[in-house]
Amino acid sequence: MGIPTVRDRVVQAAARLVLEPIFEADFQPCSYGFRPKKTAHQAVEETRTYLAWGDPQVLDADLTAYFDSIPHDQLLAAVARRVSDRHILRLLTQWLRAPGVVERADGKRETRGGKRTRRGTPQGGGISPLLANVYLHAFDTAWRAGGLERRWQARLIRYADDCAPRRRREEARM
C-alpha cells in the first residue's frame, strides 16, 4: 500500500477528474470496481440475478498481487491510446516509478520502487484504481469481443481485480 504525499494526492485527484470521463466512455458494463455510480453491491446483485435465473455455476477469481504486477509499458500504452498529452503521460510515469518506504517483517524500513521500477501501481494513490481499470479493460473487451460470453454461455462480472464469470450448468460439465 503506497500512501502519496498530500501534494501528490491533490494532483492525482485532479488528474483523475480529467482522465476518468475519457476512459469511462469505453469501459465495459461488466466492470464495477472503483467506478462512478458503480458499486460492489451492484456487482453482487447482478450475480444474484443470474443465480436466480437457474445458473448456479459461479467461478470466483482474484488476481493475486494485481496492483503490484501491472507492467508499466503496457499500462502507459493503454493510456496513450486515449490520451495524447505528453505531460500527463510523463506525470503518470513519475507516479508509477515513485519510490516508497515499506516496513519489513523484522521492523526495519526499506525503500522500494524508484526509477528502475517497471511494474505495479501504488494501491494508496488516488489515480491507481483508474489505472487498474484501464489495464483490465483489455481483458473485459477480449471476453466480449472474443466470443467467450457466447461460446461459454458465461457472463463476466468484475469488481476491481476480482471477477466471477458465471457459466451455465451444462457448459460447466464439458
Side-chain angles (χ1 to χ4, degrees), residues 14-170:
R16 184 174 181 177
L17 285 173
V18 171
L19 295 173
E20 195 167 55
I22 295 168
F23 292 103
E24 275 297 318
D26 293 337
F27 286 161
Q28 298 291 332
C30 66
S31 170
Y32 287 89
F34 309 116
R35 294 186 57 202
K37 299 180 184 173
K38 295 266 192 171
T39 67
H41 295 291
Q42 291 171 326
V44 169
E45 191 55 40
E46 186 172 349
T47 303
R48 279 191 188 140
T49 299
Y50 284 105
L51 290 172
W53 288 352
D55 295 327
Q57 299 296 323
V58 174
L59 170 65
D60 179 31
D62 183 1
L63 303 173
T64 304
Y66 172 67
F67 282 84
D68 297 335
S69 63
I70 299 172
H72 293 174
D73 57 343
Q74 293 175 27
L75 173 61
L76 291 169
V79 171
R81 282 192 279 280
R82 298 286 284 141
V83 176
S84 60
D85 188 322
R86 63 183 170 88
H87 300 292
I88 295 292
L89 296 172
R90 185 168 182 260
L91 189 59
L92 291 174
T93 302
Q94 288 175 335
W95 282 327
L96 292 172
R97 293 187 179 158
V101 178
V102 295
E103 191 168 323
R104 298 186 322 209
D106 62 5
K108 294 182 180 181
R109 293 181 179 188
E110 77 178 49
T111 302
R112 290 194 186 157
K115 292 181 181 183
R116 293 186 181 154
T117 302
R118 298 294 181 249
R119 301 181 87 71
T121 178
Q123 289 187 54
I127 198 78
S128 294
L130 175 61
L131 295 177
N133 277 331
V134 166
Y135 188 70
L136 276 175
H137 174 66
F139 173 74
D140 299 342
T141 303
W143 183 272
R144 293 187 91 186
L148 298 179
E149 193 167 292
R150 238 180 299 110
R151 184 172 7 146
W152 291 348
Q153 299 276 311
R155 173 74 182 214
L156 177 65
I157 301 167
R158 184 178 64 75
Y159 188 86
D161 61 337
D162 297 306
C163 61
R166 190 252 338 132
R167 294 177 64 176
R168 289 182 186 265
R169 183 180 306 175
E170 60 272 12

